[in-house]
Amino acid sequence: MSTDDSDVRSTAHRSPDWWRDAVVYQVYPRSFMDSDGDGIGDLNGLLSRLDYLQSLSVDAIWITPCYPSPLLDGGYDVADYRNIDPRLGDLATIDAIIAQAHERGIKVLMDLVPNHSSWDHAWFKAALKTAPGSPEWDRYMVRYGKGDNGELPPNNWRSVFHGCGWSHVKDDEGNPTGYWYLHIFDSSQPDLNWQNPEVRQEFLDILRFWFDRGLDGFRIDVAHGMIKQDGLPDMDYSNVDTELLGDIPESPHWDQPGVHEIYREWRKVANEYEPVRVFAGEAWVRTPEALARYLRPDELHTSFNFEYLSTPWDPARLRKVIDTSLKYDREVGAATTWVLSNHDVHRHVSRFAPVDTNGNRDLVEGLSRAKAASLFMLALPGTAYLYQGEELGLPEVFDLPDDVRQDPVFFRTSGEVLGRDGCRVPLPWEADAAAFGFSPTGESWLPQPLNWVNLAADAQEGDPLSTLTMYQQALDVRRHHPALGEGPDEWLDAPDKVLALRRFTEDGSSLVAVINMGDSVVTLPYGDQVILASDPLAVTILDGQVNLPASTCVWIDA
Ligand code: NOJ
């Protein structure tokens, strides 16, 4: 299969700068499609659904970690950076994905996890066989503890997943020594020592290993975390409210200046390739200015916009985050990115759903808002990230039984925090099949809610009112409309709680995206042709006036 002219994105998308306005679809492989019937999604499953992704018109896929791993943090605990977990496939399967995606005009990004390895990694196993102070231990962050015999942790750093950020190095008999290793995440994820030149060289080699196979780039996990402040001083936790997100003021282990040197080295490697390879950073930093520092021309290409993802259903805050993101990214010549869901947060259908006094979520309204928010996002200048299943309108699953949960956050808080399994439930493909067609044997590593029957991809395909159809149409319009993707924008005057953004080109092409975040219908004087609406039956036009009900978005030819 190959892409002919009619199927290739317009001019900007043919350029080597494809990543400046791509639609990138995040695949969480264990939950995407299972081909061998063990109830765990795999790479052959992904291969079998490339046609689906092509018909959705995505420009790229980002595959979350599929390396060998004990799976104590969903694969973000990597045991071997140059291989594939046998439960998911092998190197030949990932090569086939890269080749067959490329034939369809789809780029492929993988996930690189440089802040920490798994405790099953050969380096950590080798370190355990030596005494601290050895070259093997120097690849990790090991320190002698406080107290008379090192019985207290070296400092007060906490794990993002709750509890202490340090674990004892144990002797051969399993008794604690006075030494501790740092793990900013789970104890199975020891932090690597990025002051050690061997660690730096290893990751340069890993980049080349994958780029040589034709991989188009990497999403970089915890991109703001690799360098720790000299002396590892205690952290001031007094103002911390979102520890999981790393949103900690003046942190000695987040967003340290030295991290930028690493990206300058990596960028040189990426630039050696033709076409250049691309980096998307997962940097949870505190301000758009701080984020833009990662996007200077010799560092990362793009970075996730978590401030946008964290913005609630509130027009003033939405407009502000759009303005500040564009302003700071444009100052360094970077493209802005937009994202509403991923494998770490509650799905946006549930996030945007109003909650009544009994704690019940109105998911009908949640879906209306989510569709409107997604359609609006897809009209913004820059790159959009989609998370698998959002095109089906999947909500978060809050009521998974405890015994199927796998998130380390659940275990480290003794069940107090449910964690992230609820956004990782396997996709429903077929309404009438066992496990909704996720697996040929009807197995599923997390149970799917029965009422997902109406959300299955085959139930939505071809239905002009479905969420899937809205995404297919939006991505198709975005691919061909000259005013979408990167380019100028301007806010238009709009009624209260309504945002209207005009996208245009210098030669007169233009599209207005309007979202009504208020409670009542509004009438708009813009243009007379609706290109797309998040609720096509509810949006009406009379004499050039568009009636836009609450919680809807419309793209207007204007
Ligand atoms: C961020 C990833 O998105 C998350 O899933 C993971 O648990 C942490 N980094 C640790 O690698």
Side-chain angles (χ1 to χ4, degrees):
M1 190 176 309
S2 66
T3 43
D4 62 23
D5 274 359
S6 61
D7 196 32
V8 174
R9 299 191 67 165
S10 50
T11 49
H13 308 286
R14 282 177 168 281
S15 83
D17 288 354
W18 62 269
W19 43 270
R20 293 187 72 93
D21 60 3
V23 174
V24 185
Y25 183 98
Q26 179 188 355
V27 175
Y28 194 79
R30 264 166 282 272
S31 303
F32 188 69
M33 177 70 203
D34 174 24
S35 72
D36 61 9
D38 63 0
I40 302 172
D42 49 42
L43 295 184
N44 268 321
L46 168 55
L47 202 55
S48 72
R49 296 286 172 176
L50 286 180
D51 285 344
Y52 170 85
L53 296 173
Q54 185 180 20
S55 69
L56 191 57
S57 302
V58 305
D59 302 298
I61 54 175
W62 148 38
I63 309 171
T64 59
C66 47
Y67 311 101
S69 163
L71 289 186
L72 294 169
D73 181 24
Y76 283 93
D77 44 333
V78 178
D80 179 356
Y81 291 88
R82 294 181 180 81
N83 216 331
I84 298 294
D85 190 307
R87 287 162 290 190
L88 269 63
D90 53 22
L91 286 171
T93 337
I94 193 80
D95 289 346
I97 287 177
I98 295 171
Q100 293 187 31
H102 285 173
E103 282 170 19
R104 290 166 171 79
I106 298 173
K107 306 276 186 188
V108 182
L109 308 179
M110 284 172 68
D111 215 310
L112 189 65
V113 189
N115 180 67
H116 44 265
S117 75
S118 159
W119 62 14
D120 277 2
H121 190 282
W123 276 4
F124 197 72
K125 288 191 190 163
L128 287 175
K129 292 194 182 119
T130 67
S134 66
E136 286 81 1
W137 269 118
D138 192 55
R139 295 163 175 155
Y140 290 94
M141 300 293 295
V142 178
R143 294 291 184 278
Y144 198 73
K146 288 185 175 159
D148 291 343
N149 300 302
E151 67 277 14
L152 299 172
N155 68 20
N156 73 342
W157 294 1
R158 298 182 197 158
S159 157
V160 170
F161 292 160
H162 298 267
C164 182
W166 297 87
S167 286
H168 275 294
V169 175
K170 301 211 172 126
D171 65 19
D172 291 344
E173 275 77 53
N175 300 315
T177 66
Y179 286 92
W180 300 69
Y181 68 89
L182 176 68
H183 51 86
I184 294 296
F185 293 90
D186 188 47
S187 55
S188 62
Q189 296 167 296
D191 277 53
L192 287 159
N193 172 16
W194 276 84
Q195 306 296 355
N196 179 326
E198 203 189 343
V199 171
R200 291 192 181 230
Q201 187 57 49
E202 173 70 356
F203 276 87
L204 294 175
D205 293 348
I206 292 167
L207 293 179
R208 288 203 172 87
F209 175 85
W210 289 104
F211 291 164
D212 288 347
R213 300 189 96 85
L215 189 78
D216 298 291
F218 278 111
R219 174 262 193 194
I220 301 161
D221 188 61
V222 199
H224 57 313
M226 284 112 89
I227 298 292
K228 279 72 180 175
Q229 192 176 323
D230 283 347
L232 312 187
D234 275 356
M235 169 99 84
D236 175 5
Y237 284 102
S238 50
N239 289 317
V240 174
D241 50 18
T242 55
E243 198 176 329
L244 179 64
L245 311 184
D247 183 11
I248 296 176
E250 306 304 325
S251 162
H253 65 67
W254 298 133
D255 197 24
Q256 292 291 305
V259 83
H260 296 283
E261 274 168 42
I262 298 172
Y263 298 131
R264 285 194 272 270
E265 271 188 290
W266 288 15
R267 183 65 178 253
K268 286 187 200 140
V269 175
N271 288 349
E272 287 168 15
Y273 286 81
E274 174 55 43
V276 294
R277 306 314 201 227
V278 170
F279 297 117
E282 187 221 20
W284 289 92
V285 293
R286 295 185 56 231
T287 60
E289 296 99 299
L291 191 59
R293 283 199 286 274
Y294 288 74
L295 304 176
R296 289 174 287 201
D298 57 350
E299 297 195 34
L300 305 180
H301 299 77
T302 61
S303 191
F304 289 87
N305 189 339
F306 293 119
E307 207 181 338
Y308 184 77
L309 183 152
S310 316
T311 302
W313 183 256
D314 175 328
R317 290 178 63 180
L318 187 62
R319 178 169 170 158
K320 182 159 179 265
V321 69
I322 292 169
D323 284 342
T324 49
S325 307
L326 289 170
K327 170 177 183 296
Y328 288 108
D329 289 346
R330 282 172 174 161
E331 273 175 21
V332 290
T336 299
T337 67
W338 315 101
V339 59
L340 287 167
S341 277
N342 67 28
H343 65 295
D344 286 333
V345 298
H346 292 162
R347 286 183 175 277
H348 62 284
V349 168
S350 300
R351 265 196 348 261
F352 290 148
V355 185
D356 70 17
T357 45
N358 297 321
N360 298 317
R361 283 187 171 72
D362 177 351
L363 288 181
V364 173
E365 174 65 6
L367 181 58
S368 300
R369 289 180 176 184
K371 287 174 75 174
S374 299
L375 193 59
F376 194 71
M377 173 180 85
L378 288 166
L380 298 176
T383 293
Y385 280 85
L386 308 181
Y387 176 48
Q388 66 179 40
E390 73 169 80
E391 78 280 16
L392 304 176
L394 299 187
E396 183 76 6
V397 182
F398 289 103
D399 57 357
L400 288 169
D402 287 356
D403 61 353
V404 301
R405 290 194 179 274
Q406 304 209 355
D407 189 343
V409 176
F410 180 75
F411 300 110
R412 292 181 68 92
T413 61
S414 307
E416 207 175 298
V417 180
L418 293 180
R420 302 160 294 171
D421 294 308
C423 60
R424 301 174 179 180
V425 173
L427 294 192
W429 292 100
E430 295 168 46
D432 292 332
F436 298 127
F438 165 66
S439 162
T441 56
E443 295 291 318
S444 173
W445 68 281
L446 289 174
Q448 301 149 303
L450 292 179
N451 61 9
W452 279 16
V453 63
N454 301 321
L455 299 176
D458 71 343
Q460 299 198 37
E461 188 72 55
D463 172 356
L465 302 180
S466 74
T467 309
L468 178 59
T469 301
M470 182 197 86
Y471 272 82
Q472 286 168 336
Q473 292 175 340
L475 268 58
D476 184 53
V477 173
R478 186 186 152 102
R479 173 167 287 190
H480 295 106
H481 200 293
L484 291 178
E486 258 210 315
D489 63 277
E490 66 178 2
W491 293 109
L492 301 182
D493 288 341
D496 191 33
K497 302 213 168 119
V498 174
L499 298 181
L501 188 73
R502 181 169 165 262
R503 303 297 319 280
F504 56 95
T505 60
E506 289 189 351
D507 55 12
S509 184
S510 140
L511 176 152
V512 178
V514 195
I515 185 167
N516 180 357
M517 302 176 87
D519 298 324
S520 47
V521 65
V522 292
T523 303
L524 309 161
Y526 323 115
D528 56 9
Q529 199 192 328
V530 167
I531 300 172
L532 251 184
S534 61
D535 183 349
L537 289 185
V539 176
T540 54
I541 299 191
L542 198 61
D543 298 334
Q545 304 269 314
V546 181
N547 286 314
L548 189 65
S551 307
T552 51
C553 172
V554 66
W555 288 1
I556 303 169
D557 198 358

